Structure formats: structure tokens, C-alpha cells
Amino acid sequence: MMTTGTAAPRPRRALPSMSVLGPVIALLVLIVVGAALNSNFLSAANITNVLARSAFIGIIAVGMTFVITAGGLDLSVGSMAAFIAGLMILVMNAALPVMGVGIPIILLGMAVALLAGILAGLINGFLITTLGIEAFIVTLGTMGIYRSLVTWLADGGTLSLDFGLRSFYRPVYFGGILGISWPIIVFALTVIIGEVLMSRARFGRHCAAIGSNENVAHYSNVDVNRVRLLTYAMLGLLVGVATIMYVPRLGSASASTGVLWELEAIAAVIIGGTLLKGGFGRVWGTVIGVLILSMIDNILNLTDLVSPYLNGAIQGVIIVLAVILQREAKAKG
């Protein structure tokens, strides 16, 4: 029996857009450039160092992804981290005569960091959602408040953790499992949970809906204020987690702690493909953004091409370029 029809052509599988491929290509180019400029760039020690140093900003950037996706912004995360670190050190030093060096006092410090982070995030969220103040104004104000508070707590100097406590606490940053340090493990777990929340859970869809059109989200039975408040509380919690990982590294906090962390976190989010005006977020893209920024910093430190002091300027340029590319892509779309 003969068939008269012809088989339908298989549909071509479209390549991912440049908004998806761009950050990945940029990361691969940086790896090639770094390896070409310095033979130690791909060594296990350097990769571990880059990933561990990326963890602080990465953990915060995951929370920032949700805030920006929901149409918000938080400029206070760097100052918040400095304040939480100072508060954590003060509480642990004060409790030392009673509790002594041991796990309970470390858990006390961690609890203080997490509670302070959540409270700071809720304050930002309350002022933005309930009082209706612009996120830029609120977080600019709290940025100054937290930076001033840590300077006051340190009396203009540095708050240092007791030497014995610091020695006991150091494994939280320098220790790990199977050669993988704890900050990297915590960062990886944060990314996995964040990606599931963003792409699989109702919370992530609500964040995108609010960032895309707040009024439509409201009429679609989304509790806009509650979801936005939760994004700021989540970001505050993750700032607390990042601070828990940061304090054992140096064992101190001062007015210079966490400077430009907000710039790095926002840059990582934007580079990763999350829209600055909200409506779309990509947690795995944020991870790529964090790695790109860390590798640029690492390459600047390993080579003499550009002064490492210009790292902040480079990050600022990257943010502007990323936003310009997003606007052009939106205009074409």
C-alpha cells in the first residue's frame, strides 16, 4: 500500500536568546582570558578562593533577585551587613564571661545575626509597602543609618571578636566537607532553594507578576504588599546568613565592612538577566553574574592590566551597559 502524504518537517529547535547565552559566554571568555594571563588562574586553590569570596555577595544577590523581580530595590545591604556583624560581635563578646567558648555562644551569635537581618528587612519592607515610600529613598536612608550605627558602636574604630572565640569560630569560614568550604556549600544550598522558589513555587510567580504589573497582580488576587514585604524580609535573612559566614573570616567589623556590597549584588542580578524594572527574575543567572564579577576582580588582582582599585568603576560601567542592553532588547521585542 502506497502513501500519498509527505512527512511533516520537524520543527527547528531555536537557540536560547542572547539574554541567556550572553552571561554564559562572558563567563567563558573571562575564564579563557584569566587562564591565558596567569597560569595559576585555574589552580584549585585560586578557584576555591574565588568561590569562597563570591559566597558573601552571592547569598545576598539571591535575595536581591527576588526584591528586584518584584519591582523593588535595596541599597542598604552592605551597611546592613556591617551593622549585623558589629552587633553579632558585641553580643558574643558580652556573653563570653557567662557562656564561655563553645558551640552555644556561636549559635547565639548566629541567632542574633538572623534575627537582626529579618528585622532590618521587615523595617525596609514595612516603610515601602505600608507607608508607600519609594524603595530607593527608604533603603538609601537605612543605608546611612546602619553605616552610622556600626561606626557609633565601634566608636569610630573596629569591633573585634575575642581571640579565643575567633579561633573557635574560624572553621565556619575556613572549614568544610571534602575540601569544599562552608561558605561555598551554604551559597550552593541558597541558590538551589532560591531557584526552586523562583521557577517552581507560587511565591516566585507572584514576584514576577507584581514586578510586571502591580495593578494586574492585585486584581488577580495577589497580596502585593505581603509578597513585597516577604522579599525584603528574605533579603534581610540572607544578609544575616552572609554575615555569619563573613565574621569568622576577619573576626572584626568596622565602618568599611560591606562597602559596595549593594553595588556588587545589584550588578550580579542585572548581569544575570533579571530585569531591573521587575517582572522577570533568574536566580541561576545571578550566580553567573556573581562569578563574572568575582573573576574580573580576581584577574585584576593577578595581573597588572588595570588597578584593582578601579574594580568599583568597572562594576558601575557593567551595570549601565547591562541596563542599556536590556532596554534595547525590550525595544526590539
Side-chain angles (χ1 to χ4, degrees):
M1 183 177 178
M2 296 181 63
T3 57
T4 56
T6 57
R10 290 184 178 180
R12 281 189 173 183
R13 182 175 293 179
L15 290 173
S17 66
M18 279 308 294
S19 67
V20 175
L21 290 176
V24 178
I25 293 172
L27 180 63
L28 293 175
V29 169
L30 281 174
I31 292 174
V32 172
V33 170
L37 292 175
N38 193 301
S39 58
N40 291 323
F41 183 76
L42 291 179
S43 65
N46 189 55
I47 292 174
T48 301
N49 180 50
V50 169
L51 291 176
R53 291 171 67 90
S54 303
F56 309 128
I57 300 300
I59 292 169
I60 295 172
V62 169
M64 188 71 81
T65 305
F66 285 88
V67 169
I68 292 179
T69 301
L73 191 68
D74 194 335
L75 301 175
S76 69
V77 290
S79 302
M80 192 188 297
F83 171 67
I84 293 173
L87 185 64
M88 192 176 166
I89 289 171
L90 280 178
V91 170
M92 292 173 74
N93 283 343
L96 183 60
V98 178
M99 302 181 72
V101 176
I103 293 177
I105 197 170
I106 301 298
L107 294 178
L108 172 66
M110 291 179 176
V112 168
L114 296 178
L115 288 174
I118 293 172
L119 183 61
L122 285 173
I123 290 172
N124 280 343
F126 173 79
L127 294 172
I128 293 165
T129 58
T130 305
L131 300 185
I133 308 173
E134 289 291 331
F136 174 80
I137 300 299
V138 169
T139 56
L140 186 65
T142 52
M143 178 177 74
I145 292 171
Y146 294 134
R147 186 68 65 191
S148 178
L149 281 176
V150 72
T151 306
W152 174 67
L153 289 174
D155 198 20
T158 301
L159 290 166
S160 297
L161 194 62
D162 177 84
F163 183 77
L165 266 178
R166 184 188 169 193
S167 300
F168 189 80
Y169 195 7
R170 278 171 62 87
V172 172
Y173 177 80
F174 294 99
I177 302 175
L178 301 175
I180 305 174
S181 64
W182 285 115
I184 299 173
I185 295 171
V186 173
F187 179 31
L189 291 175
T190 304
V191 170
I192 293 170
I193 295 171
E195 181 63 34
V196 170
L197 276 177
M198 181 63 80
S199 60
R200 305 288 181 187
R202 182 183 298 176
F203 180 68
R205 292 194 295 273
H206 284 180
C207 288
I210 293 169
S212 180
N213 191 314
E214 184 177 329
N215 292 326
V216 172
H218 174 71
Y219 289 119
S220 301
N221 207 27
V222 175
D223 192 336
V224 174
N225 283 350
R226 180 172 172 273
V227 172
R228 276 212 172 122
L229 183 67
L230 286 175
T231 61
Y232 284 100
M234 178 194 291
L235 178 54
L237 172 67
L238 291 178
V239 172
V241 173
T243 307
I244 288 172
M245 297 289 113
Y246 175 81
V247 167
R249 177 171 170 247
L250 298 177
S252 62
S254 68
S256 62
T257 300
V259 170
L260 293 182
W261 281 16
E262 60 280 346
L263 181 65
E264 293 184 42
I266 293 171
V269 173
I270 304 305
I271 292 169
T274 296
L275 295 179
L276 183 59
K277 289 187 175 181
F280 177 76
R282 187 187 289 151
V283 172
W284 68 263
T286 297
V287 177
I288 301 291
V290 169
L291 293 177
I292 286 174
L293 292 176
S294 296
M295 285 195 177
I296 290 174
D297 184 40
N298 189 240
I299 290 172
L300 293 181
N301 284 320
L302 291 177
T303 64
D304 296 326
L305 290 177
V306 182
S307 169
Y309 297 121
L310 290 174
N311 195 20
I314 293 172
Q315 289 171 3
V317 170
I318 290 174
I319 290 178
V320 174
L321 288 176
V323 172
I324 290 173
L325 290 174
Q326 284 187 1
R327 290 178 62 182
E328 289 184 351
K330 187 177 180 180
K332 290 178 181 177

Short mmCIF file of all heavy atoms in Angstrom, two decimals, residues 105-145:
data_model
loop_
_atom_site.label_atom_id
_atom_site.label_comp_id
_atom_site.label_asym_id
_atom_site.label_seq_id
_atom_site.Cartn_x
_atom_site.Cartn_y
_atom_site.Cartn_z
N ILE A 105 27.58 29.67 72.36
CA ILE A 105 27.78 31.11 72.11
C ILE A 105 27.86 31.40 70.60
O ILE A 105 27.45 32.47 70.14
CB ILE A 105 29.05 31.61 72.85
CG1 ILE A 105 29.00 33.14 72.94
CG2 ILE A 105 30.31 31.16 72.18
CD1 ILE A 105 30.06 33.72 73.86
N ILE A 106 28.37 30.44 69.84
CA ILE A 106 28.38 30.60 68.38
C ILE A 106 26.94 30.59 67.85
O ILE A 106 26.57 31.41 67.00
CB ILE A 106 29.20 29.47 67.70
CG1 ILE A 106 30.63 29.47 68.22
CG2 ILE A 106 29.16 29.64 66.18
CD1 ILE A 106 31.41 30.73 67.93
N LEU A 107 26.13 29.68 68.39
CA LEU A 107 24.72 29.62 67.97
C LEU A 107 23.99 30.89 68.37
O LEU A 107 23.11 31.37 67.63
CB LEU A 107 24.04 28.39 68.59
CG LEU A 107 24.55 27.03 68.11
CD1 LEU A 107 23.83 25.91 68.85
CD2 LEU A 107 24.34 26.88 66.60
N LEU A 108 24.35 31.45 69.55
CA LEU A 108 23.75 32.72 69.98
C LEU A 108 24.07 33.82 68.96
O LEU A 108 23.19 34.59 68.55
CB LEU A 108 24.26 33.11 71.36
CG LEU A 108 23.85 34.51 71.85
CD1 LEU A 108 22.34 34.58 72.07
CD2 LEU A 108 24.61 34.87 73.15
N GLY A 109 25.35 33.90 68.56
CA GLY A 109 25.75 34.91 67.58
C GLY A 109 25.02 34.73 66.26
O GLY A 109 24.57 35.71 65.64
N MET A 110 24.87 33.48 65.82
CA MET A 110 24.16 33.21 64.56
C MET A 110 22.68 33.62 64.67
O MET A 110 22.13 34.21 63.73
CB MET A 110 24.26 31.72 64.21
CG MET A 110 25.64 31.27 63.81
SD MET A 110 25.67 29.49 63.44
CE MET A 110 27.37 29.29 62.90
N ALA A 111 22.07 33.31 65.82
CA ALA A 111 20.66 33.68 66.01
C ALA A 111 20.49 35.20 65.99
O ALA A 111 19.53 35.71 65.38
CB ALA A 111 20.16 33.11 67.34
N VAL A 112 21.43 35.91 66.62
CA VAL A 112 21.37 37.38 66.60
C VAL A 112 21.46 37.90 65.17
O VAL A 112 20.72 38.81 64.77
CB VAL A 112 22.51 37.96 67.47
CG1 VAL A 112 22.66 39.46 67.24
CG2 VAL A 112 22.24 37.70 68.94
N ALA A 113 22.38 37.32 64.40
CA ALA A 113 22.56 37.77 63.01
C ALA A 113 21.29 37.53 62.19
O ALA A 113 20.85 38.41 61.43
CB ALA A 113 23.74 37.04 62.37
N LEU A 114 20.69 36.36 62.34
CA LEU A 114 19.50 36.05 61.55
C LEU A 114 18.31 36.93 61.96
O LEU A 114 17.60 37.45 61.10
CB LEU A 114 19.14 34.56 61.71
CG LEU A 114 20.17 33.56 61.18
CD1 LEU A 114 19.71 32.13 61.44
CD2 LEU A 114 20.42 33.77 59.69
N LEU A 115 18.12 37.10 63.28
CA LEU A 115 17.01 37.92 63.75
C LEU A 115 17.20 39.38 63.35
O LEU A 115 16.24 40.04 62.92
CB LEU A 115 16.89 37.80 65.28
CG LEU A 115 16.35 36.47 65.80
CD1 LEU A 115 16.40 36.43 67.32
CD2 LEU A 115 14.91 36.24 65.31
N ALA A 116 18.43 39.89 63.50
CA ALA A 116 18.70 41.28 63.11
C ALA A 116 18.47 41.47 61.62
O ALA A 116 17.92 42.51 61.19
CB ALA A 116 20.12 41.66 63.49
N GLY A 117 18.87 40.49 60.81
CA GLY A 117 18.67 40.59 59.37
C GLY A 117 17.20 40.61 59.00
O GLY A 117 16.76 41.44 58.19
N ILE A 118 16.44 39.69 59.60
CA ILE A 118 15.00 39.65 59.30
C ILE A 118 14.33 40.95 59.73
O ILE A 118 13.51 41.51 58.99
CB ILE A 118 14.34 38.45 60.02
CG1 ILE A 118 14.86 37.13 59.43
CG2 ILE A 118 12.83 38.51 59.91
CD1 ILE A 118 14.41 35.90 60.19
N LEU A 119 14.68 41.44 60.94
CA LEU A 119 14.08 42.69 61.44
C LEU A 119 14.42 43.87 60.52
O LEU A 119 13.55 44.68 60.19
CB LEU A 119 14.57 42.95 62.87
CG LEU A 119 13.98 44.18 63.56
CD1 LEU A 119 12.46 44.02 63.69
CD2 LEU A 119 14.61 44.37 64.95
N ALA A 120 15.69 43.95 60.10
CA ALA A 120 16.10 45.04 59.21
C ALA A 120 15.34 44.96 57.88
O ALA A 120 14.90 45.99 57.34
CB ALA A 120 17.61 44.99 58.97
N GLY A 121 15.19 43.75 57.37
CA GLY A 121 14.45 43.59 56.12
C GLY A 121 12.99 43.96 56.28
O GLY A 121 12.38 44.59 55.40
N LEU A 122 12.40 43.57 57.42
CA LEU A 122 10.98 43.90 57.67
C LEU A 122 10.79 45.41 57.80
O LEU A 122 9.77 45.95 57.35
CB LEU A 122 10.50 43.19 58.94
CG LEU A 122 10.25 41.69 58.82
CD1 LEU A 122 9.93 41.08 60.19
CD2 LEU A 122 9.11 41.41 57.83
N ILE A 123 11.75 46.10 58.41
CA ILE A 123 11.64 47.56 58.53
C ILE A 123 11.63 48.20 57.14
O ILE A 123 10.80 49.06 56.84
CB ILE A 123 12.80 48.12 59.39
CG1 ILE A 123 12.62 47.70 60.85
CG2 ILE A 123 12.88 49.64 59.28
CD1 ILE A 123 13.80 48.04 61.74
N ASN A 124 12.56 47.77 56.30
CA ASN A 124 12.59 48.29 54.92
C ASN A 124 11.26 47.99 54.22
O ASN A 124 10.66 48.86 53.58
CB ASN A 124 13.73 47.64 54.14
CG ASN A 124 15.08 48.29 54.42
OD1 ASN A 124 15.14 49.41 54.95
ND2 ASN A 124 16.15 47.61 54.10
N GLY A 125 10.82 46.73 54.34
CA GLY A 125 9.59 46.33 53.67
C GLY A 125 8.37 47.06 54.19
O GLY A 125 7.49 47.46 53.41
N PHE A 126 8.31 47.27 55.51
CA PHE A 126 7.17 47.98 56.10
C PHE A 126 7.10 49.43 55.59
O PHE A 126 6.02 49.92 55.20
CB PHE A 126 7.30 47.96 57.62
CG PHE A 126 6.27 48.79 58.34
CD1 PHE A 126 4.97 48.32 58.52
CD2 PHE A 126 6.58 50.07 58.81
CE1 PHE A 126 4.01 49.09 59.16
CE2 PHE A 126 5.63 50.85 59.45
CZ PHE A 126 4.34 50.36 59.63
N LEU A 127 8.23 50.12 55.59
CA LEU A 127 8.25 51.52 55.14
C LEU A 127 7.86 51.63 53.66
O LEU A 127 7.20 52.59 53.25
CB LEU A 127 9.64 52.12 55.36
CG LEU A 127 10.07 52.27 56.83
CD1 LEU A 127 11.53 52.70 56.92
CD2 LEU A 127 9.17 53.30 57.53
N ILE A 128 8.25 50.62 52.87
CA ILE A 128 7.98 50.67 51.43
C ILE A 128 6.53 50.27 51.11
O ILE A 128 5.85 50.95 50.32
CB ILE A 128 8.97 49.74 50.68
CG1 ILE A 128 10.38 50.31 50.79
CG2 ILE A 128 8.57 49.57 49.22
CD1 ILE A 128 11.47 49.33 50.42
N THR A 129 6.06 49.20 51.75
CA THR A 129 4.74 48.69 51.38
C THR A 129 3.61 49.38 52.14
O THR A 129 2.59 49.73 51.54
CB THR A 129 4.67 47.17 51.66
OG1 THR A 129 4.93 46.94 53.05
CG2 THR A 129 5.66 46.41 50.83
N THR A 130 3.78 49.59 53.43
CA THR A 130 2.69 50.15 54.24
C THR A 130 2.63 51.66 54.15
O THR A 130 1.54 52.24 54.01
CB THR A 130 2.85 49.72 55.71
OG1 THR A 130 2.94 48.30 55.77
CG2 THR A 130 1.66 50.19 56.54
N LEU A 131 3.79 52.31 54.22
CA LEU A 131 3.80 53.78 54.17
C LEU A 131 3.93 54.30 52.75
O LEU A 131 3.80 55.51 52.52
CB LEU A 131 4.94 54.33 55.04
CG LEU A 131 4.87 53.95 56.52
CD1 LEU A 131 5.97 54.66 57.30
CD2 LEU A 131 3.50 54.31 57.12
N GLY A 132 4.20 53.42 51.80
CA GLY A 132 4.23 53.82 50.39
C GLY A 132 5.39 54.71 50.00
O GLY A 132 5.29 55.48 49.04
N ILE A 133 6.51 54.61 50.74
CA ILE A 133 7.69 55.42 50.39
C ILE A 133 8.51 54.66 49.33
O ILE A 133 8.59 53.43 49.35
CB ILE A 133 8.56 55.68 51.64
CG1 ILE A 133 7.70 56.27 52.77
CG2 ILE A 133 9.71 56.61 51.32
CD1 ILE A 133 8.44 56.39 54.08
N GLU A 134 9.10 55.42 48.42
CA GLU A 134 9.89 54.80 47.35
C GLU A 134 11.02 53.95 47.94
O GLU A 134 11.69 54.36 48.90
CB GLU A 134 10.49 55.88 46.45
CG GLU A 134 9.49 56.59 45.57
CD GLU A 134 8.92 55.68 44.49
OE1 GLU A 134 9.66 54.76 44.06
OE2 GLU A 134 7.77 55.88 44.08
N ALA A 135 11.23 52.78 47.34
CA ALA A 135 12.27 51.86 47.83
C ALA A 135 13.64 52.52 47.80
O ALA A 135 14.46 52.32 48.71
CB ALA A 135 12.26 50.59 46.97
N PHE A 136 13.89 53.31 46.76
CA PHE A 136 15.19 53.98 46.64
C PHE A 136 15.43 54.90 47.84
O PHE A 136 16.52 54.91 48.44
CB PHE A 136 15.22 54.78 45.33
CG PHE A 136 16.46 55.62 45.17
CD1 PHE A 136 17.64 55.04 44.72
CD2 PHE A 136 16.44 56.98 45.46
CE1 PHE A 136 18.79 55.81 44.58
CE2 PHE A 136 17.58 57.75 45.30
CZ PHE A 136 18.76 57.17 44.86
N ILE A 137 14.40 55.66 48.23
CA ILE A 137 14.54 56.61 49.34
C ILE A 137 14.71 55.87 50.67
O ILE A 137 15.58 56.20 51.49
CB ILE A 137 13.31 57.54 49.41
CG1 ILE A 137 13.17 58.33 48.11
CG2 ILE A 137 13.43 58.49 50.60
CD1 ILE A 137 14.34 59.22 47.78
N VAL A 138 13.86 54.86 50.89
CA VAL A 138 13.90 54.12 52.16
C VAL A 138 15.26 53.46 52.36
O VAL A 138 15.91 53.61 53.42
CB VAL A 138 12.79 53.04 52.19
CG1 VAL A 138 12.99 52.10 53.37
CG2 VAL A 138 11.43 53.70 52.27
N THR A 139 15.72 52.72 51.35
CA THR A 139 16.96 51.95 51.53
C THR A 139 18.19 52.86 51.49
O THR A 139 19.22 52.53 52.08
CB THR A 139 17.07 50.85 50.46
OG1 THR A 139 16.99 51.42 49.15
CG2 THR A 139 15.94 49.84 50.62
N LEU A 140 18.07 54.02 50.82
CA LEU A 140 19.17 54.99 50.88
C LEU A 140 19.29 55.53 52.31
O LEU A 140 20.40 55.70 52.84
CB LEU A 140 18.91 56.14 49.90
CG LEU A 140 20.03 57.18 49.73
CD1 LEU A 140 21.27 56.52 49.11
CD2 LEU A 140 19.56 58.34 48.85
N GLY A 141 18.13 55.78 52.93
CA GLY A 141 18.13 56.26 54.30
C GLY A 141 18.65 55.21 55.28
O GLY A 141 19.51 55.51 56.13
N THR A 142 18.17 53.98 55.17
CA THR A 142 18.63 52.93 56.10
C THR A 142 20.09 52.58 55.84
O THR A 142 20.81 52.18 56.76
CB THR A 142 17.75 51.67 55.98
OG1 THR A 142 17.66 51.27 54.61
CG2 THR A 142 16.36 51.92 56.52
N MET A 143 20.55 52.77 54.60
CA MET A 143 21.97 52.56 54.32
C MET A 143 22.82 53.48 55.19
O MET A 143 23.79 53.06 55.82
CB MET A 143 22.28 52.81 52.84
CG MET A 143 23.74 52.66 52.47
SD MET A 143 24.06 52.88 50.71
CE MET A 143 23.87 54.65 50.53
N GLY A 144 22.43 54.75 55.24
CA GLY A 144 23.15 55.71 56.08
C GLY A 144 22.99 55.40 57.56
O GLY A 144 23.95 55.54 58.33
N ILE A 145 21.80 54.97 57.95
CA ILE A 145 21.56 54.67 59.38
C ILE A 145 22.42 53.51 59.85
O ILE A 145 23.11 53.60 60.89
CB ILE A 145 20.06 54.36 59.60
CG1 ILE A 145 19.22 55.62 59.39
CG2 ILE A 145 19.83 53.79 61.00
CD1 ILE A 145 17.72 55.36 59.36
#
